[in-house]
Amino acid sequence: MTGLRAVSDDDVAALRRAVSDPSRVRTGALDRVAYASDASHFLNTPEVVVIADSAEEIAEIMRTAASSGRHLTFRSGGTSLSGQSSGDGIIVDVRQRFKSIDVLDDGRRVRVQPGATVRQVNARLARFGYRLGPDPASEVACTIGGVIANNSSGMACGTEENTYRTLESMVVVLPSGTVIDSADPMAEARLREHEPELVDGLLALRERVRRDPHSVRLIEQHFALKNTMGYGINSFLDHDSPLEILVHLMIGSEGTLGFVAEATFRTIPVRTHVATGKAVFRDLSAATSALPALVAAGASTVELMDATSIRVGQALADAPEEIADLDVGDAAALLVEYHGNDAAELAERIAHGAAALPDDLLVTPLELSADPGRRARAWAFRKGLYASVAGARPSGTTALLEDIAVPVEALAETCRSLQELFVRYHYKNSVIFGHAKDGNIHFMLTDRFEGETAIVRYLEFTEELVRLVLGHGGNLKAEHGTGRAMAPFVRRQYGDELYGVICEIKRLCDPSGVLNPGVIIDDDPDAHIANIKLSPTVEDEVDRCVECGYCEPVCPSRDLSLTPRQRIVVRRAEIAAREAGDTALASQLASGYEYAGVQTCAVDGMCATACPVDIDTGALMKRFRRERASPTLAAGWSLAARHWDVATRLGSTALSITHALPAAPTIGATSLARTVFGHETVPRYSAELPPGGAARRGLRGRTAASGSPIAVYVPACVSSMFGPAREGEGVSGAFLTLLERAGAGVIVPDDIEGLCCGTPWASKGFAAGVERMHERVLRSVHALSVDGSLPVVTDASSCTEGFRHSLEGSGLRTIDAVTLVREHVLPRLTVSHRLTRLALHPTCSTTKLGIDDDAYAIAAAIAAEVVVPDSWGCCGFSGDRGMLHPELTASATARQAAEVVEAVADAHASTNRTCELGMTRATGRRYEHLLEVLERATR
């Protein structure tokens, strides 16, 4: 990592001319380091990062790279496990601006750009009853660009519903700059006109392959299994026209032949009846021997997990019931799933599956369940297995995940031999898991791949692995792509003749050799041990991270500064630079990190909801804020904590005064103050901010009027500082009115003006204020709660989350007003003013609290149609973060705001005042609390 090589000024200037916005060409150390890592065990630091915007820009960037001789690598999701999305030249980000999804033919087809994730596409297709064929475990983060580049398959799709079989057409950009849309009737003629040598070369290779019986036999053998070694040379057997051959060679080409700017897939109907369960066997041999019977019984999915995988699963907070208390020993498990078009078909398949498993092989029987909760737990365990195992590795070691495929009948012997290799080469705690139905298994090694002993051990292990897999007629890569990890062994798998065909494909498509060199083709026998990622010991959150990127799609700052993965990557790089004595690089990274890493993190914790090992990068950023806090600011916030009643009223008054003044001078004044005192100190005023809210003490007289109290009510101070969206009492008044209509009451503490959940101090890293508020709230509400028999309720979801943290262990229960209303009030109300359409913005807090369903139920009671944008995410307002860094909220809300505007709803609602302000700013639509909308609808 040290001594970063710089790209020349001339090359940078040429790249900036190739894009419409020169600021999207980044040469700073922080950007380059942030893109250096993908999910693999390789580390290659680029010279420059370019965020591309269109196929035309890609074409110009490729021409520029070819003319300068610079290597070029495309990056979308970066979940790649074989090093194919990291490079040492130009990295082109095709995630940020290539995200469109167009559903066609009522869901039977879908046209997608490479930056959209599999989960995002499937969410759009679900309402039509369809899904994509490829179903990788990393669906939450892997993008369509990676799905195509790696010919992704997954748990159920096998070789019949993978990318190769379901992709209908694509828009491809060749290294020459030629752009071809294969769906265009004139595409074949256009290809011939602009790329005559390529067309003639592909036709010659087609005949070369077809005329060689040995080549035909080898291709049929290797592509009968899952196979991502080399290029998709089965294209020469499956297709006749140069265009179709080229399109199918692009699938699985790992960014070495061109760029796929858009793709159209044929989709798969979703079977509505599904049952899932785990069968635990006495050992791995017993589990694999059961496979043929399960497959014959019609199992759609059969996932294998060895003993180490089961032990990892037992440590999970929500472990599947079948393994929670199991004495593992040498046991192995199969996660089995059956699909049916109706209940009768599913029942028949379940019966056949149960009969297929002899009792003498089983430790626990296969119990299949259609219960969504049990199914979700089972799949959460399986899909997060790699990251969970890797996250538990010793600090400072690297996780290396490989995958292979062998004929199913050879799987048991292959697994036994693999376990023997683990023992022989001292790879402890290595796991075996994967798609047993397809003979496709994954295994993971953890080591610090540094020094002669470790490197020799890995080289010898790999050589034995290659002999083992090829000896069974298998493939050295089944799903994860050849990448850099298996590039030196492509010749071994296919032989000299077909390897020559593979090299000629590369020469024809990329004659300058600029696209992803070292990926798929590399004649250096030791290429797979070059640039292995070495991780220094840093913070606990950093050490556990495997850089899988699952966190990135939910991060509000992902298109502005850094993602959670990149925050960790840069942090590791800074520590590594310091340990290597490169203080200049360390200082550059630390300087840029203050804004990109710390200041623009929303600290919303959404990253933890997607992380298989529960890393909350936001918590780490809070700690950094605490460690770097200005003593003056800390003192000011400490004073505010002591006099919070005064502070909230001053804030409210200030908002009311500024609201009454012309907006332009106020905006100008705060902008000037921000320049002088810093963006982290002075919020930026904006025109959509409301006047201040009313004091909370006035609510005490309205409580317990209609019945016995059911909760201690702590109205959120944020709704007191920021006034409501409409005339009236805001959410607090609406909540109390709804309670009165339902004949219920609550208690408001006498000292309510001085109470707060502590979130403002926690998010800024001021621990003293958090502790002070915790003690004050506990003293105030404990007696009122009748020793905990009454829950503490508040009316802003972020405050509910704050109280849940601060009151943890106190014996006091916390509940959000939305949940209380849904459970105790809504059944007693009559909706007399039903809306046609309501736009609902769930918050990061409702998601983490698990109350999104409560909010949706209330919204559904109010409106005939509830619109939650497909691109929903945290708005990034994050308390005052949206005023300190309005660019964060603008970036975080851009896509969902466009969906909201297009929806043309009658009302717009959320569950937190600052989130309402953020969405109001983003959409130009008036957002208010959901309970305010409910109150009007039930008048």
Side-chain angles (χ1 to χ4, degrees), residues 220-286:
E220 290 174 344
Q221 171 192 321
H222 286 291
F223 285 90
L225 307 172
K226 286 185 177 181
N227 181 22
T228 57
M229 277 291 279
Y231 294 126
I233 49 178
N234 53 329
S235 305
F236 292 117
L237 303 183
D238 297 338
H239 301 282
D240 295 322
S241 79
L243 177 65
E244 286 303 311
I245 291 171
L246 176 64
V247 164
H248 287 83
L249 284 173
M250 285 292 163
I251 301 169
S253 64
E254 303 177 33
T256 64
L257 301 181
F259 170 67
V260 179
E262 186 177 87
T264 300
F265 288 84
R266 295 180 295 275
T267 59
I268 307 299
V270 175
R271 288 183 172 175
T272 53
H273 292 73
V274 182
T276 308
K278 277 192 178 69
V280 181
F281 297 79
R282 61 173 183 259
D283 55 30
L284 196 60
S285 178

Side-chain angles (χ1 to χ4, degrees), residues 266-313:
R266 295 180 295 275
T267 59
I268 307 299
V270 175
R271 288 183 172 175
T272 53
H273 292 73
V274 182
T276 308
K278 277 192 178 69
V280 181
F281 297 79
R282 61 173 183 259
D283 55 30
L284 196 60
S285 178
T288 53
S289 66
L291 285 172
L294 286 169
V295 173
S300 299
T301 303
V302 184
E303 294 291 299
L304 172 69
M305 286 153 283
D306 72 351
T308 305
S309 303
I310 296 173
R311 291 188 190 97
V312 170

Side-chain angles (χ1 to χ4, degrees), residues 346-386:
L346 180 62
E348 181 181 359
R349 291 187 174 180
I350 289 174
H352 288 162
L357 296 178
D359 291 340
D360 62 332
L361 296 178
L362 293 167
V363 174
T364 62
L366 173 62
E367 295 184 4
L368 293 151
S369 173
D371 177 69
R374 290 189 62 181
R375 293 188 59 243
R377 286 194 294 276
W379 279 114
F381 164 45
R382 167 59 190 91
K383 291 182 178 182
L385 188 57
Y386 157 63

Side-chain angles (χ1 to χ4, degrees), residues 623-636:
R623 194 156 76 242
F624 287 165
R625 289 175 189 172
R626 182 171 66 247
E627 293 168 356
R628 304 169 189 185
S630 158
T632 302
L633 278 178

Side-chain angles (χ1 to χ4, degrees), residues 59-60 234 265 343 375 379 408 492 495 571 660 679 692 720 809 873 934:
E60 194 57 41
N234 53 329
F265 288 84
R375 293 188 59 243
W379 279 114
V408 172
R492 288 272 293 276
R571 178 67 177 153
H679 290 192
S720 170
L934 178 63

Side-chain angles (χ1 to χ4, degrees), residues 641 643-646 648 696 751-756 773 776-777:
H643 305 285
W644 192 235
D645 52 347
V646 176
T648 56
R696 292 180 285 171
D751 57 347
I752 183 60
E753 287 296 348
L755 302 185
C756 178
M773 281 298 170
R776 186 180 298 165
V777 170

